[in-house]
Amino acid sequence: MTACPSRQVFDVVVLGGGIAGAALAAQLAGDLRVALVERESQLGYHTTGRSAAMYIPSYGGPAVQPLTAASRGFFESPPWGFAGRLLSPRPVLHVARADQLQRLEDFAHQNRDTAALRRLSGESARLRTPILRPEAVRSALLETGAGDLDVARLHGGMVRRAREAGATVLADAGKPAIVREGSRWRVRTRQASLIAPTLVNATGAWADETALDAGLAPKGLAPLLRTAILVDAPRELGFHDGPVVKDIDERFYFRPFGGRLLITPADETPSPPCDAAPDELDIACAMMRFHDAADHPVTRIHHRWAGLRTFASDRAPVIGWSETSPGFFWLAGLGGFGIQTAPAVARLAAAQVLGHRTPRDLADHGVEAATYDPSRLSEAAHPIGSPAPCQEPWVTADGPPGLPGY
Ligand SMILES: Cc1cc2nc3c(=O)[nH]c(=O)nc-3n(C[C@H](O)[C@H](O)[C@H](O)COP(=O)(O)OP(=O)(O)OC[C@H]3O[C@@H](n4cnc5c(N)ncnc54)[C@H](O)[C@@H]3O)c2cc1C
């Protein structure tokens, strides 16, 4: 006989234990009764555990940059016993071939007020990253305010803080059944039946599916698959302290990572939500683009993985109350910037859940809640296109990717 799940009453149930859900739970737990519910047995198993761990102020355009800037203070001196800085400096070298010089100009112009950019000749760029081929870098911009984030410590610290402040954290919850009962939501997991007036959808690539489960229309959020490989790094002295090298059109980037070299073709293949797996063609594409840009033999791939970066049609995050379903809160569409914006995103979301104004320091950085309002998106505006090869959802037999740094 199956045991009856216990019933528990909360102020807020947060669905999704990636960085978005964990950071919001950490933010709210001191003020409200919070349950953080993760479908998988391991929190952070999906996109959060598969990132490249970068903090890049210029990244993501005008909707994302204020959130990134407003998160820097948290990373540099984190509260809640994170035990030290979460951000260590590493510049980004934005490189352009001769035929991309106009693009480099445009990038410098667009980011003149938001990022610290220094122009370098191709020769100077190659002094910083000697494996770059001369024809791959005619000119470059060095972005100095960028850095590496300690994602494991960030995410683990958010979950710990949530627990310590009184949140209930339920992992391995299975796919919850969601039912609207009067003015409250009932979320039935494997372990318990949870009741709360507020339901937060922080389910990453599954955000549209979760909305449908709760009886709402989807927002057309598109999960796009990105591939990464880890190979042997060049042996030259100083390589591991060197910059991230990023093509100005984001057709690839490579970077020192956990004692090896991380390469990505910066692919964006439409995918259904699933346990994303790398595709051989994307790996071949990564190697080809890397070899076009750099003179360094790749003899062995030590690790390969893929993750789903989920975007709204305008590529801005989706943060705010549903306009159609009271008590349903969107915290999704965090694309390729969900780690570097997590502290500010969580504070903006927490302020709205608590019925407060946007915190003053976020507003001072240019964060405007209206930019992220879910009502800006017409329903299902974003066709998902042809699915990439993926494992079936929830087939996790190979376990998590086990990345260095996570
Ligand atoms: C290769 C790669 C490189 C990246 N590099 C960077 C970078 O350098 N810097 C950066 O800032 N960002 C980067 N990103 C993006 C970043 O990782 C994401 O923006 C971020 O992790 C999204 O977090 P999330 O919590 O929204 O999603 P997720 O981490 O995917 O969390 C969502 C969670 O919801 C759970 N879930 C789904 N459905 C349900 C349900 N019904 N009930 C309960 N739980 C559910 C899932 O199991 C999952 O754990 C990168 C991403 C990839 C793939």
Side-chain angles (χ1 to χ4, degrees):
M1 196 172 89
T2 319
C4 220
S6 65
R7 284 175 55 169
Q8 298 177 41
V9 178
F10 295 89
D11 298 312
V12 182
V13 172
V14 179
L15 294 180
I19 190 61
L24 179 61
Q27 204 59 240
L28 286 175
D31 295 310
L32 300 175
R33 293 169 298 170
V34 176
L36 176 62
V37 176
E38 168 54 49
R39 188 171 172 171
E40 296 281 8
S41 58
Q42 188 188 335
L43 278 76
Y45 174 79
H46 286 288
T47 314
T48 295
R50 306 177 191 208
S51 88
M54 301 183 298
Y55 175 93
I56 307 180
S58 66
Y59 197 64
V64 175
Q65 288 165 350
L67 294 166
T68 305
S71 296
R72 180 186 279 278
F74 186 102
F75 295 135
E76 288 184 335
S77 65
W80 306 330
F82 271 88
R85 295 169 63 93
L86 295 159
L87 176 66
S88 41
R90 182 186 301 282
V92 175
L93 193 61
H94 302 273
V95 296
R97 299 181 308 265
D99 60 307
Q100 293 172 301
L101 292 179
Q102 186 55 50
R103 180 72 192 96
L104 199 72
E105 283 307 314
D106 296 345
F107 182 86
H109 183 71
Q110 285 155 9
N111 292 290
R112 63 194 180 286
D113 299 326
T114 45
L117 298 171
R118 208 166 91 216
R119 192 172 299 276
L120 297 183
S121 66
E123 225 164 73
S124 310
R126 291 180 59 237
L127 284 177
R128 288 172 188 274
T129 304
I131 61 171
L132 273 169
R133 296 182 191 279
E135 62 274 22
V137 51
R138 169 66 69 87
S139 183
L141 289 166
L142 187 71
E143 181 168 353
T144 51
D148 291 351
L149 289 166
D150 188 334
V151 182
R153 210 148 52 82
L154 173 67
H155 179 251
M158 293 295 195
V159 176
R160 194 179 55 247
R161 158 68 188 177
R163 278 203 178 99
E164 285 173 1
T168 298
V169 179
L170 287 180
D172 204 9
K175 185 176 161 146
I178 305 170
V179 182
R180 181 91 190 157
E181 289 180 353
S183 59
R184 302 188 303 182
W185 297 96
R186 180 188 293 274
V187 176
R188 201 180 165 91
T189 71
R190 273 193 193 127
Q191 304 94 336
S193 187
L194 315 174
I195 296 169
T198 296
L199 182 66
V200 176
N201 178 7
T203 56
W206 287 267
D208 264 354
E209 236 180 64
T210 302
L212 283 165
D213 289 347
L216 280 80
K219 289 287 180 191
L221 293 168
L224 304 178
L225 183 136
R226 176 153 292 185
T227 309
I229 58 174
L230 282 187
V231 304
D232 286 324
R235 287 174 188 271
E236 71 212 22
L237 214 61
F239 176 80
H240 294 289
D241 300 323
V244 173
V245 174
K246 202 158 187 280
D247 171 55
I248 192 65
D249 288 316
E250 207 178 332
R251 288 184 71 249
F252 67 84
Y253 63 82
F254 61 86
R255 56 157 306 177
F257 194 79
R260 302 207 189 273
L261 171 68
L262 180 155
I263 305 171
T264 171
D267 43 335
E268 293 197 336
T269 311
S271 167
C274 65
D275 191 1
D279 178 67
E280 288 306 321
L281 269 178
D282 292 323
I283 291 171
C285 178
M287 308 257 273
M288 197 181 74
R289 289 182 183 176
F290 175 70
H291 281 302
D292 283 350
D295 184 8
H296 172 67
V298 172
T299 50
R300 185 169 160 214
I301 298 177
H302 291 275
H303 196 68
R304 61 191 77 198
W305 72 92
L308 299 176
R309 300 155 77 247
T310 299
F311 291 92
S313 54
D314 60 4
R315 295 209 161 214
V318 184
I319 305 167
W321 295 107
S322 160
E323 70 279 26
T324 57
S325 193
F328 188 95
F329 193 92
W330 288 88
L331 184 57
L334 298 171
F337 40 79
I339 312 290
Q340 68 175 40
T341 58
V345 163
R347 288 186 58 221
L348 177 65
Q352 293 186 41
V353 169
L354 290 165
H356 298 165
R357 295 158 76 110
T358 301
R360 182 67 179 271
D361 61 304
L362 299 196
D364 289 347
H365 277 104
V367 173
E368 285 177 25
T371 309
Y372 316 107
D373 190 331
S375 69
R376 76 186 191 277
L377 300 165
S378 56
E379 291 168 5
H382 201 137
I384 283 191
S386 54
C390 255
Q391 296 174 17
E392 287 301 303
W394 316 115
V395 176
T396 56
D398 292 339
L403 309 180
Y406 197 90

